[in-house]
Amino acid sequence: MSAEMDALVAAATDKLEALEAALYGLGQVRGRFTTEDGQVSVEVDSNGALVGLRLAESITSRTPAEVSQAIIWACTQAAQDAGAQRSEVVSNLNSTFTGAEPGTVGGRAE
């Protein structure tokens, strides 16, 4: 093969490896949040789907409406955490394709 073809194959291989790494990284994303009082702890996956919920025994002293609000709040915070992690994975992938530093868009910081 010519040097040009070797370079093309190497670039394609690098991009494929970056895509595989990003796919793996997205699968590892887990957003977690525990309320300040420790009564509700949640874990969500990279899509924001609830994959773990822990309620402390002390939460039984709260009304159902308060409990549901605490769960929703915790899920929202965990989803934001997962979103930030997912953004980092995508930023790293983008930098592989554009040659820019992670966390920049068009040569400027995000």
Side-chain angles (χ1 to χ4, degrees):
M1 274 199 266
S2 68
E4 187 176 297
M5 184 58 99
D6 288 343
L8 180 64
V9 169
T13 301
D14 290 346
K15 288 182 168 89
L16 177 60
E17 289 172 357
L19 284 169
E20 290 172 344
L23 183 58
Y24 176 78
L26 290 172
Q28 299 303 304
V29 168
R30 290 290 185 264
R32 294 175 182 86
F33 186 80
T34 299
T35 56
E36 200 171 289
D37 59 13
Q39 290 185 332
V40 179
S41 294
V42 299
E43 181 178 352
V44 300
D45 66 12
S46 65
N47 295 314
L50 185 65
V51 295
L53 173 63
R54 186 191 65 73
L55 301 174
E57 182 69 31
S58 61
I59 204 160
T60 59
S61 65
R62 296 171 71 177
T63 67
E66 291 172 332
V67 172
S68 65
Q69 283 300 107
I71 292 170
I72 291 168
W73 169 253
C75 287
T76 300
Q77 299 307 306
Q80 288 177 356
D81 178 36
Q85 292 175 45
R86 189 175 52 243
S87 291
E88 182 65 27
V89 171
V90 172
S91 176
N92 289 336
L93 176 63
N94 287 339
S95 69
T96 300
F97 281 84
T98 63
E101 288 294 315
T104 62
V105 173
R108 68 186 193 300
E110 290 183 52

